[in-house]
């Protein structure tokens, strides 16, 4: 039985990927949205190739789909708070126009996410002064998001300065809980720290958005051994949809239910769409959700 407070979405990243725009370029917006309906999800996040709000809203309304949010790469440390706020204002306006709930923010200063560098050993680390600037800036952006009726949810991410549990702890301690919330991404924390429950249990009260991403242990070990970049790693199949990898989603889902989590759980699994058929994987994970998770609700 579906839990009424939880909305289930699936991200466009299985069809097209903003980090490598060439892959899946044949998948149009209409194709993606119709696949999402076929697979039984209620919405999605905005991909880089999505059109202006008026065009997008029409396609969404035709299919009774909603937008959860959209990724924002912040450069608070590199460019300063004022410049970041200027960019974020435009982002919030777009999100308000498409009736979204959250603004997904990830600080990309010094990030190796899109570079050809070993993502397992070459992540950046911020200095004390940089942490201070980042936290102050996020509080400002979070206040702005509130004014647009949105929640700023911070996305911890492989290859960035906010990747490990210790770094997420520091970010949570340094920011105002009224304005800065947390996005819990199972795949990123598992690949980073080898564990996905500690983060959830520790910061459940700050978590306002969830990405359910699975990982293939064997491929992950191989990527680490080979020293692959983030992009090479996901192209080799490090990530997959829930039900197909090594994460047991019944555990985080139970914690979310026990804490009366309300909001989105977005399935998100970047893979090469020419290898992993996006609709096939969306249907596979839908079956897993129905048979292993919703049974708990
Ligand atoms: O939420 C996400 C958005 C993507 O752009 C990112 O690279 C991916 O790994 C992710 O988790
Ligand atoms: Co994510």
């Amino acid at each position: 039985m579906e839990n009424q407070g939880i909305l289930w979405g699936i991200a466009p990243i299985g069809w097209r990927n903003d980090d490598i725009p060439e892959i899946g370029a044949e998948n149009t917006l209409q194709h993606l949205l119709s696949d999402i309906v076929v697979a039984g999800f209620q919405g999605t996040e905005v991909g880089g190739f999505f059109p202006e709000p008026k065009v997008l809203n029409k396609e969404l309304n035709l299919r009774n789909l909603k937008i959860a949010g959209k990724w924002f790469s912040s450069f608070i440390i590199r460019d300063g708070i004022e410049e970041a706020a200027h960019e974020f204002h435009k982002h919030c306006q777009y999100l308000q126009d498409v009736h979204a709930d959250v603004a997904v923010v990830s600080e990309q200063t010094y990030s190796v996410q899109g570079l050809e560098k070993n993502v397992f050993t070459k992540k950046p680390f911020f200095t004390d002064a940089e942490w201070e600037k980042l936290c102050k800036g996020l509080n400002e952006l979070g206040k702005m998001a509130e004014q647009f009726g949105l929640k700023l949810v911070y996305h911890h991410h492989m290859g960035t300065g906010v990747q490990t549990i210790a770094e997420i702890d520091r970010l949570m301690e340094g920011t105002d809980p009224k304005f800065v919330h947390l996005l819990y991404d199972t795949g990123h924390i598992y690949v980073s720290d080898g564990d996905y429950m500690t983060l959830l249990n520790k910061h459940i009260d700050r978590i306002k958005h969830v990405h359910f991403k699975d990982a293939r242990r064997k491929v992950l070990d191989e990527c680490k051994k080979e020293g692959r970049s983030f992009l090479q790693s996901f192209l080799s199949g490090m990530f997959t949809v829930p039900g197909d990898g090594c994460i047991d989603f019944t555990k985080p889902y139970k914690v979310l239910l026990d804490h009366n989590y309300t909001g989105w759980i977005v399935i998100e699994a970047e893979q090469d769409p020419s290898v992993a058929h996006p609709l096939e994987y969306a249907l596979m994970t839908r079956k897993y959700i129905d048979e292993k998770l919703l049974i708990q609700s």
Side-chain angles (χ1 to χ4, degrees), residues 11 13 45 71 104 155-157 183-188 209-213 266 268-270:
I13 208 161
E45 291 186 2
W71 174 277
V104 176
H155 195 315
H156 55 94
H157 201 289
L183 184 161
Y184 167 61
D185 187 310
T186 51
H188 279 280
H209 196 57
V210 174
H211 283 172
F212 268 6
K213 189 199 288 292
V266 176
E268 190 197 49
E270 55 260 58

Side-chain angles (χ1 to χ4, degrees), residues 20 22 36 68 113 187 239 245 270:
I20 313 183
E22 317 76 86
I36 291 174
Q113 178 176 335
F239 294 128
E270 55 260 58

Side-chain angles (χ1 to χ4, degrees), residues 5-235:
I6 293 179
L7 292 161
W8 287 90
I10 187 160
I13 208 161
W15 284 258
R16 276 169 82 154
N17 195 305
D18 289 348
D19 293 334
I20 313 183
E22 317 76 86
I23 66 170
E26 67 283 2
N27 292 319
T28 63
L29 174 76
Q30 288 81 356
H31 176 139
L32 160 73
L33 296 180
S34 293
D35 276 3
I36 291 174
V37 174
V38 171
F41 289 92
Q42 289 157 286
T44 188
E45 291 186 2
V46 175
F49 66 99
F50 278 29
E52 54 160 299
K54 199 169 155 230
V55 178
L56 177 56
N57 287 338
K58 170 149 187 161
E59 298 297 333
L60 293 167
N61 289 338
L62 287 169
R63 297 168 179 84
N64 195 25
L65 289 174
K66 295 187 180 71
I67 291 294
K70 182 181 184 196
W71 174 277
F72 178 78
S73 293
S74 69
F75 289 92
I76 295 169
I77 294 171
R78 186 192 73 185
D79 298 340
I81 298 173
E82 211 179 304
E83 173 69 28
H86 178 72
E87 292 304 314
F88 191 64
H89 191 274
K90 290 185 255 173
H91 188 81
C92 289
Q93 188 58 66
Y94 181 96
L95 286 177
Q96 190 181 54
D97 291 346
V98 297
H99 317 292
D101 298 307
V102 297
V104 176
V105 174
S106 166
E107 176 68 13
Q108 289 293 311
T109 300
Y110 315 133
S111 168
V112 300
Q113 178 176 335
L115 305 181
E116 282 182 26
K117 284 194 177 174
N118 182 338
V119 72
F120 304 97
T121 57
K122 298 282 182 235
K123 75 173 284 314
F125 294 88
F126 299 145
T127 64
D128 289 347
E130 288 170 342
W131 271 108
E132 210 175 302
K133 189 172 175 185
L134 174 61
C135 292
K136 198 163 166 250
L138 288 173
N139 285 338
E140 291 306 311
L141 299 191
K143 270 180 219 161
M144 185 184 284
E146 285 283 319
Q147 285 159 11
F148 281 90
L150 299 159
K151 280 190 168 38
L152 182 160
V153 289
Y154 192 89
H155 195 315
H156 55 94
H157 201 289
M158 282 299 293
T160 73
V162 188
Q163 175 192 301
T164 65
I165 181 93
E167 289 161 344
I168 301 165
D169 286 349
R170 184 161 184 176
L171 190 95
M172 292 294 96
E173 272 160 35
T175 51
D176 188 335
K178 286 205 295 291
F179 304 118
V180 179
H181 312 278
L182 184 63
L183 184 161
Y184 167 61
D185 187 310
T186 51
H188 279 280
I189 197 63
Y190 177 69
V191 168
S192 171
D193 290 33
D195 159 49
Y196 45 93
M197 294 307 291
T198 308
L199 172 62
L200 177 64
N201 286 316
K202 225 167 170 181
H203 294 297
I204 182 74
D205 295 337
R206 299 282 292 269
I207 294 169
K208 299 292 176 216
H209 196 57
V210 174
H211 283 172
F212 268 6
K213 189 199 288 292
D214 209 343
R216 294 186 177 100
R217 184 74 238 181
K218 240 180 105 195
V219 183
L220 165 58
D221 292 343
E222 185 188 292
C223 293
K224 267 192 185 163
K225 203 167 134 231
E226 300 288 322
R228 290 189 189 139
S229 67
F230 182 68
L231 303 185
Q232 287 164 341
S233 297
F234 83 67
L235 284 178

